[in-house]
């Protein structure tokens, strides 16, 4: 059973969905830009039983508050930190995809007591360049989020999957995202380079990349995992930027195997 509620953290209220036993080993999920916590809906049923699964909408996304931007990565990391403190979570495995993976790295650097291991999915220590993001922000201010749908679906999904209902639904999630939330998070990504802090991380880490990912291609994900000693890397050859959507069972299996390997869940 899943319970969903908006949690007031004082500085912001975030929408959170929890499933699994309250006493289970915690796994926290942070989604990608222009999506929401439902990104994980088809993954959750395929994960091992007994885990406490916590999904949340990033600030400016889904049902969470969308304060005026621009946001900083520090603010997004603080949101996650306060949320885990509020929920009494320590030693979690944090699964972050894309911007969620940046938040995962920032939180592990800041609060290693909260994080036991990371799954860095379709992400990097630095995603794009400031000029690329500034250009995207200017285009959205000019033409609206609608203008982002077609180019984003090309980066997100392999050509065949782009024709699916799921791809259309996730295209809709871009325009459903509050404008200030999307732009605020885009500004946070533009200002983030975690290569130096992430190279100091010493924890179990699984990297996942998609062969058709046009946003964070496999070599970029591999490069980031390369700065974290001992990390593992898995390539999902037929997936794009959002394997929780285009291959949820395979994606859940990779995460489940990793959780077993590190002893976060019984084998
Ligand atoms: O919109 C994209 O290109 C994909 C993306 C980059 C960061 C993120 O969270 O999504």
């Amino acid at each position: 059973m899943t319970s969903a509620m908006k949690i007031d953290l004082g500085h912001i209220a975030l929408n959170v969905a929890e499933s699994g036993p309250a006493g289970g080993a915690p796994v926290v999920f942070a989604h990608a830009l222009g999506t929401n916590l439902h990104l994980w809906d088809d993954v959750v049923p395929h994960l091992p039983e007994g885990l406490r699964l916590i999904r949340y909408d990033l600030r400016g996304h889904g049902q969470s508050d969308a304060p005026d931007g621009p946001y900083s990565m520090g603010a997004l990391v603080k949101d996650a930190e306060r949320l885990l403190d509020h929920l009494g979570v320590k030693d979690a495995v944090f699964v972050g995809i894309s911007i969620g993976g940046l938040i995962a790295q920032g939180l592990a650097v800041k609060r290693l007591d909260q994080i036991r291991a990371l799954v860095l999915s379709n992400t990097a220590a630095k995603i794009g360049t400031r000029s690329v993001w500034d250009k995207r922000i200017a285009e959205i201010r000019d033409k609206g989020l609608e203008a982002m749908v077609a180019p984003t679906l090309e980066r997100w999904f392999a050509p065949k999957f782009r024709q699916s209902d799921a791809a259309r639904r996730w295209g809709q999630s871009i325009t459903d995202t509050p404008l200030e939330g999307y732009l605020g998070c885009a500004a946070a990504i533009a200002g983030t380079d975690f290569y130096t802090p992430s190279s100091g991380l010493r924890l179990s880490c699984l990297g996942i990349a998609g062969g058709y990912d046009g946003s964070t291609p496999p070599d970029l994900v591999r490069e980031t995992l390369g700065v974290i000693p001992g990390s593992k890397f898995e390539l999902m050859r037929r997936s794009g930027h959002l394997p929780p959507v285009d291959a949820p069972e395979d994606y859940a299996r990779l995460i489940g195997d990793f959780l077993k390997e590190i002893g976060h869940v019984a084998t």
Side-chain angles (χ1 to χ4, degrees):
M1 205 189 85
T2 299
S3 65
M5 63 185 149
K6 200 156 175 185
I7 298 180
D8 188 351
L9 299 171
H11 72 297
I12 197 159
L14 298 181
N15 186 44
V16 181
E18 273 213 57
S19 43
V27 183
V28 182
F29 296 84
H31 62 76
L33 181 68
T35 68
N36 55 62
L37 59 75
H38 294 294
L39 189 71
W40 311 104
D41 282 1
D42 294 337
V43 175
V44 161
H46 301 291
L47 290 170
E49 285 182 9
L51 295 162
R52 180 182 182 191
L53 303 172
I54 300 161
R55 292 155 274 163
Y56 73 102
D57 285 330
L58 304 187
R59 65 165 55 210
H61 284 70
Q63 304 305 308
S64 287
D65 284 357
D68 287 345
Y71 308 155
S72 66
M73 189 51 62
L76 286 154
V77 170
K78 181 171 146 187
D79 294 347
E81 178 187 10
R82 292 274 173 88
L83 176 63
L84 297 202
D85 276 341
H86 179 91
L87 296 173
V89 169
K90 296 255 184 223
D91 297 323
V93 173
F94 199 106
V95 181
I97 186 165
S98 206
I99 186 176
L102 290 170
I103 295 166
Q105 292 167 72
L107 187 60
V109 167
K110 188 175 181 193
R111 290 289 305 271
L112 203 51
D113 60 311
Q114 290 184 330
I115 305 297
R116 171 175 185 197
L118 295 177
V119 177
L120 299 180
S121 170
N122 307 81
T123 191
K126 173 174 161 52
I127 302 177
T129 60
R130 181 173 284 282
S131 68
V132 162
W133 286 103
D134 284 349
K135 203 169 141 221
R136 192 189 296 195
I137 289 166
E139 190 180 348
I140 295 168
R141 287 254 178 246
D142 188 31
K143 300 181 184 154
L145 279 170
E146 187 59 44
M148 285 304 106
V149 175
T152 302
L153 291 180
E154 284 195 17
R155 290 190 301 271
W156 274 359
F157 298 119
K160 202 167 158 209
F161 194 84
R162 247 174 257 156
Q163 312 308 318
S164 67
D165 285 346
R168 267 187 290 279
R169 272 201 313 280
W170 285 103
Q172 173 79 42
S173 83
I174 297 170
T175 49
D176 287 347
T177 302
L179 180 66
E180 288 308 320
Y182 189 104
L183 293 174
C185 284
I189 298 167
T192 301
D193 179 345
F194 277 150
Y195 273 106
T196 301
S198 289
S199 67
L201 285 172
R202 298 293 177 266
L203 78 176
S204 298
C205 188
L206 168 66
I208 300 176
Y212 287 90
D213 186 342
S215 300
T216 51
D219 281 352
L220 183 67
V221 182
R222 206 182 268 114
E223 185 179 274
T224 294
L225 273 293
V227 307
I228 305 172
S231 50
K232 284 184 62 175
F233 175 81
E234 297 280 355
L235 175 61
M236 299 180 70
R237 287 183 194 283
R238 289 198 288 269
S239 282
H241 188 60
L242 300 180
V245 173
D246 66 33
E249 283 195 51
D250 290 346
Y251 188 75
R253 186 178 40 73
L254 289 179
I255 294 173
D257 288 350
F258 176 66
L259 297 177
K260 288 174 189 159
E261 207 175 290
I262 64 169
H264 203 62
V265 69
T267 50

